[in-house]
Amino acid sequence: MSTKGSDLKAPTASVIIPCFNAEETLGEQLDALIAQTGDVPFELILVDNDSCDGTVALGLSYRDRLPGLRIISAVEKKGAGYARNVGVAEAQTEKILFCDADDVVSAGWVKSMADALDHAQVVGGGRDFLQLNPLWHPLVRRNGAQADATEICDVHYFGKMNIATVGAGNLGINRSLFLEIGGFDPDLPAHEDVDLQVRAWRAGHHLQLCPEGLAYIRVRQSSGSVFRQACFWGFWDVAVLKKYRKHQGWRQLARAVVQWKKLVVRFFGMRDADKRKEFVYILGWKCGRIIGSFRFLVFAP
């Protein structure tokens, strides 16, 4: 199903949000997009990945307040990467801006990210973990009170070439490059954003940081959901490592050994509930890496 509102101005940027059962949080993100400042007209494409709650109905209720809103159905395959690909195929502009249905972008996000794409092919925005999450979460502790652009944008480095990557929940890319490198790998349920940016790097386009394009990131809240998500991320991280095995080096193995040592130290140093929850997150990640090592036949503990 596709629903299109009437645009007052021709859009110069396309905001794409993959959605799956996002009824509880999507409204906050749509309100944030209504409140955007700056002079960048944009279209908004909600890509419904076969939701079974009220996500589509909620999106339809915003058509009058977001004239450039379209709702696109993507039901052939599960996954945010596939849904984003469907959204890009429907986009009318060259500037593609990705954000997530459970996060909240800042007031100047569209303008900051769109302006940055005038000077680079791939742009990563800032990520604030403090506003929407409990203080115990390790992402909050690592990224909460930082001033450096690399830390604000939550940059991760891939492989021995130290390729800078950011999460797809706050990512901008020019449509022509996105199509040239094949879009997101729909067979990667996680870390499809890392894979995309490695391929962009191979094509000669390095990530540019845009900390002004800030998004408030929401992470899982309960210990059980934190463990499952971290395990999921760790598992699929191994799949990406296998795909680009030649980019790995002994440094990554040494880093893994150090992380296990830190995990043991944290276990014996836990004194309060917050520390235990932080331990659960790291343990989930490492368990996912071990399971992924067996599944993908790559030693990545």
Side-chain angles (χ1 to χ4, degrees), residues 175-226:
R175 188 173 186 268
S176 54
L177 174 62
F178 185 88
L179 297 176
E180 175 189 332
I181 62 178
F184 290 104
D185 184 344
D187 293 324
L188 286 174
H191 298 296
E192 74 284 358
D193 40 19
V194 174
D195 173 65
L196 179 81
Q197 291 165 82
V198 170
R199 284 184 279 121
W201 177 86
R202 284 176 154 183
H205 301 287
H206 295 191
L207 177 73
Q208 177 174 304
L209 301 183
C210 179
E212 301 83 9
L214 189 66
Y216 302 101
I217 308 300
R218 194 190 314 270
V219 295
R220 304 292 174 85
Q221 305 296 313
S222 69
S223 295
S225 62
V226 165

Side-chain angles (χ1 to χ4, degrees), residues 125-176:
R127 291 157 65 86
D128 180 291
F129 292 88
L130 270 173
Q131 182 159 310
L132 302 178
N133 303 295
L135 293 177
W136 62 261
H137 202 286
L139 292 177
V140 171
R141 296 187 176 191
R142 189 173 73 239
N143 303 98
Q146 310 284 358
D148 179 79
T150 299
E151 294 167 322
I152 292 174
C153 295
D154 192 31
V155 174
H156 295 260
Y157 295 95
F158 180 82
K160 62 185 178 182
M161 299 303 294
N162 279 337
I163 303 169
T165 68
V166 297
N170 194 358
L171 180 69
I173 186 169
N174 282 320
R175 188 173 186 268
S176 54

Side-chain angles (χ1 to χ4, degrees), residues 64-144:
D64 293 339
R65 287 168 283 175
L66 284 164
L69 171 65
R70 286 186 282 162
I71 301 177
I72 306 297
S73 180
V75 298
E76 293 183 7
K77 193 178 185 71
K78 291 288 188 182
Y82 162 72
R84 293 188 191 102
N85 288 347
V86 172
V88 173
E90 294 287 337
Q92 300 175 356
T93 79
E94 173 68 4
K95 296 179 179 180
I96 304 296
L97 308 180
F98 296 112
C99 60
D100 284 345
D102 56 352
D103 298 333
V104 179
V105 296
S106 59
W109 180 76
V110 170
K111 178 170 175 54
S112 296
M113 295 290 284
D115 287 351
L117 283 174
D118 286 331
H119 309 287
Q121 291 282 327
V122 188
V123 174
R127 291 157 65 86
D128 180 291
F129 292 88
L130 270 173
Q131 182 159 310
L132 302 178
N133 303 295
L135 293 177
W136 62 261
H137 202 286
L139 292 177
V140 171
R141 296 187 176 191
R142 189 173 73 239
N143 303 98

Side-chain angles (χ1 to χ4, degrees), residues 27-28 30-31 34 57-67 69:
E28 290 182 71
L30 297 181
D31 289 339
I34 290 172
L58 177 64
L60 290 172
S61 72
Y62 275 81
R63 284 184 300 176
D64 293 339
R65 287 168 283 175
L66 284 164
L69 171 65

